[in-house]
């Protein structure tokens, strides 16, 4: 007999064993006891076959920033199956269960880090974020002058001091996590060791921070958060002053970052890497919550969405705009209410996520055949979607 349900506390150790096998790591007895102790059974779902755990995943409760608004988001992590149970559709059924659960919990979005992008595209997730990874030799670090009156101060890892800076920075991008005390203390500081330094301007205002670790002559920048150009120059001056003890810097930046242009020699190693995937869990609720671009004379739009794994997203949705185009009433239409074919824009749930998170534009998606509709409707949708870079500093 097959069963999908949440794990009981006494089953959490078995889930850890499956993770160790699937992700190829090994815990000591003390590490296992600590990990099991901090696990929340309500977050862990298992597929049981004849009473044995065959596959499992974790459903995390998060919020993310999108166009400056907070959205409830379900994070999928730790997806694993024992080899003898693979290719039997167990993960597909687990994902279907979590989609229903997320919808019931009001989570209109879901993020995950894929082991294989193609696999999760089958179930409605789509790439939503890239990032730049730089390796900068010490002799090519930025040569910025220290801003007048500004100072950099090392501080203890303190979430209350860093979170206001992080939150202001995170809202500038689509797809960043809303962090709380638990995330900072139990995940961020626990997994990322090293030094924290903050930048203060001449007025004593904190405008950025860097969290980094120097090891074996490499400075790994865990996070570099700058709220203005002055903070960026001040923090990079501070980082560059480590040149006598390091050979190179490794740092992660948003996909639209312009740091190489500011270097005296931009011939550094630069990689653009695909990162996380996103899915719209509940299209009607998501479209109603979304913050659209201002358009005084915004006309209605009709979107035909296909989603074979969530029937509630399948159909035609009307967006009736208000508030100068910045908000919309979203309604799933019955068959007789739907407009003619020439009045529709059509796409999959994957395409919808890439568009509304800002990862791709309607004109591009229409050009490659993933958005169908007249050029006029494509242009109207493009005008409705704010332009904002996607980024994610975290991992889960």
């Amino acid at each position: 007999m097959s069963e999908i349900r949440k794990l009981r506390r006494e089953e959490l150790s078995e889930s850890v064993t499956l993770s160790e096998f699937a992700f190829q790591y090994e815990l000591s007895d003390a590490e296992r006891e600590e990990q099991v102790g901090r696990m929340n059974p309500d977050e862990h779902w298992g597929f049981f076959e004849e009473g044995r755990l065959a596959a499992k995943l974790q459903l995390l409760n998060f919020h993310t920033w999108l166009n400056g608004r907070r959205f409830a988001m379900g994070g999928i992590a730790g997806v694993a199956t024992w080899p003898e149970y693979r290719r039997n559709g167990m993960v597909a059924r687990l994902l279907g269960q979590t989609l229903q659960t997320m919808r019931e919990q009001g989570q209109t979005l879901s993020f995950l880090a894929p082991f294989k992008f193609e696999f999760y595209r089958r179930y409605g997730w789509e790439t939503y974020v890239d990032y730049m990874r730089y390796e900068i030799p010490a002799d090519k670090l930025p040569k910025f002058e220290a801003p007048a009156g500004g100072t950099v101060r090392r501080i203890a890892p303190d979430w209350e001091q860093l979170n206001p800076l992080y939150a202001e920075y995170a809202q500038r991008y689509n797809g960043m996590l809303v962090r709380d005390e638990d995330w900072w203390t139990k995940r961020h500081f626990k997994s990322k060791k090293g030094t924290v330094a903050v930048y203060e301007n001449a007025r004593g205002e904190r405008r950025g921070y860097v969290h980094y670790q120097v090891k074996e002559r490499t400075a790994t920048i865990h996070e570099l958060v700058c709220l203005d150009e002055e903070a960026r120059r001040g923090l990079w001056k501070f980082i560059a002053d480590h040149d006598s003890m390091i050979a190179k810097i490794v740092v992660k930046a948003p996909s639209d970052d312009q740091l190489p242009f500011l270097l005296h020699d931009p011939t550094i190693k630069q990689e653009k890497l695909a990162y996380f995937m996103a899915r719209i869990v509940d299209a009607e609720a998501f479209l109603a919550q979304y913050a659209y671009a201002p358009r005084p004379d915004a006309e209605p739009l009709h979107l035909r969405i296909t989603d074979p794994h969530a029937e509630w997203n399948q159909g035609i949705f009307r967006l009736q705009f208000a508030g100068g185009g910045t908000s919309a009433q979203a309604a799933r239409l019955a068959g007789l209410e739907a407009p003619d074919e020439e009045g529709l824009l059509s796409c999959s749930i994957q395409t919808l996520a890439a568009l509304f998170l800002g990862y791709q534009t309607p004109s591009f998606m229409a050009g490659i055949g993933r958005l169908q509709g007249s050029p006029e409707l494509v242009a109207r949708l493009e005008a409705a979607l704010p332009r904002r870079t996607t980024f994610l500093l975290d991992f889960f």
Side-chain angles (χ1 to χ4, degrees):
M1 184 182 74
S2 300
E3 179 187 19
I4 295 176
R5 60 170 173 81
K6 292 180 180 179
L7 270 60
R8 304 183 182 107
R9 179 155 292 280
E10 62 269 21
E11 296 166 332
L12 294 176
S13 183
E14 188 178 355
S15 175
V16 173
T17 299
L18 176 50
S19 289
E20 286 181 284
F21 179 86
F23 304 120
Q24 301 175 41
Y25 67 93
E26 193 171 327
L27 298 174
S28 67
D29 290 344
E31 289 170 331
R32 170 184 287 271
E33 185 177 353
E34 181 189 2
Q35 182 166 326
V36 171
R38 66 172 183 263
M39 291 170 69
N40 178 359
D42 284 340
E43 295 177 346
H44 295 267
W45 288 82
F47 190 108
F48 291 83
E49 189 66 42
E50 301 298 331
R52 296 191 59 181
L53 179 65
K56 57 92 178 183
L57 59 74
Q58 185 177 11
L59 175 57
L60 296 157
N61 296 318
F62 290 124
H63 284 83
T64 185
W65 293 108
L66 182 56
N67 297 336
R69 289 185 181 174
R70 285 171 54 124
F71 279 69
M73 182 268 287
I76 304 293
V79 182
T81 309
W82 286 111
E84 61 268 30
Y85 294 112
R86 288 177 187 162
R87 298 176 178 85
N88 288 313
M90 294 179 179
V91 169
R93 290 173 62 183
L94 276 170
L95 291 172
Q97 175 62 56
T98 56
L99 282 173
Q100 293 184 32
T101 301
M102 287 187 284
R103 187 187 184 212
E104 291 166 3
Q105 294 177 167
Q107 295 165 320
T108 58
L109 279 170
S110 175
F111 292 171
L112 59 80
F115 78 95
K116 191 174 184 180
F117 285 81
E118 180 183 15
F119 178 84
Y120 286 103
R121 277 178 168 150
R122 299 178 203 165
Y123 304 109
W125 277 261
E126 183 54 275
T127 316
Y128 94 86
V129 62
D130 306 319
Y131 68 88
M132 299 301 302
R133 182 183 184 276
Y134 301 139
E135 286 190 17
I136 310 174
D139 63 351
K140 294 184 180 181
L141 286 169
K143 295 183 176 179
F144 297 143
E145 295 293 328
T151 58
V152 176
R153 303 183 190 279
R154 287 187 300 277
I155 65 169
D158 182 346
W159 81 275
E160 289 183 299
Q161 295 189 62
L162 297 185
N163 196 57
L165 298 168
Y166 167 82
E168 184 174 343
Y169 178 78
Q171 292 176 60
R172 298 177 180 182
Y173 297 95
N174 283 348
M176 293 274 275
L177 293 190
V178 177
R179 294 178 179 173
D180 59 16
E181 181 179 2
D182 274 0
W183 186 260
W184 277 103
T185 57
K186 296 178 181 178
R187 295 292 293 266
H188 182 80
F189 292 137
K190 189 174 182 64
S191 63
K192 297 176 180 178
K193 308 300 183 182
T195 301
V196 177
V198 297
Y199 179 81
E200 295 181 3
N201 62 23
R203 296 182 296 278
E205 300 165 334
R206 291 186 172 179
R207 301 297 294 163
Y209 69 85
V210 61
H211 183 193
Y212 68 104
Q213 183 177 29
V214 177
K215 189 176 182 180
E216 298 176 352
R217 293 189 57 77
T218 296
T220 300
I221 309 298
H222 300 311
E223 292 190 358
L224 178 62
V225 167
C226 306
L227 300 183
D228 54 35
E229 182 62 22
E230 179 185 330
R232 174 161 69 169
R233 290 176 179 270
L235 286 169
W236 271 113
K237 172 67 166 60
F238 172 76
I239 294 167
D241 285 340
H242 290 66
D243 57 347
S244 65
M245 58 186 295
I246 61 173
K248 67 179 180 181
I249 294 277
V250 177
V251 63
K252 175 179 174 180
S255 59
D256 63 351
D257 183 72
Q258 297 294 325
L259 177 66
F261 183 76
L262 301 176
L263 302 179
H264 65 280
D265 182 353
T267 57
I268 62 172
K269 184 176 180 180
Q270 304 179 45
E271 294 180 282
K272 187 175 184 179
L273 302 172
Y275 195 31
F276 264 62
M277 302 182 82
R279 194 196 205 283
I280 294 173
V281 174
D282 187 335
E284 187 171 358
F286 173 84
L287 293 169
Q289 187 182 354
Y290 191 82
Y292 299 85
R295 291 149 299 127
D297 301 316
E299 299 180 65
L301 282 169
H302 292 86
L303 304 174
R304 178 165 54 200
I305 302 168
T306 56
D307 187 350
H309 298 284
E311 58 82 19
W312 56 85
N313 290 334
Q314 188 100 355
I316 296 173
F317 295 80
R318 180 178 60 222
L319 297 180
Q320 189 75 42
F321 295 100
T326 58
S327 62
Q329 291 183 338
R332 185 182 180 192
L333 302 181
L336 296 177
E337 299 177 284
D340 296 335
E341 190 70 23
E342 59 268 20
L344 291 173
L345 284 168
S346 301
C347 68
S348 67
I349 196 72
Q350 295 98 319
T351 296
L352 196 74
L355 291 173
F356 276 72
L357 269 77
Y359 184 67
Q360 300 293 351
T361 64
S363 55
F364 172 74
M365 295 300 251
I368 63 172
R370 286 189 53 177
L371 176 65
Q372 295 82 42
S374 70
E376 178 189 350
L377 291 177
V378 171
R380 195 186 301 174
L381 178 60
E382 189 142 350
L385 303 181
R387 303 299 296 272
R388 195 176 289 225
T389 301
T390 58
F391 191 38
L392 180 62
L393 277 169
D394 290 298
F395 181 85
F396 54 83

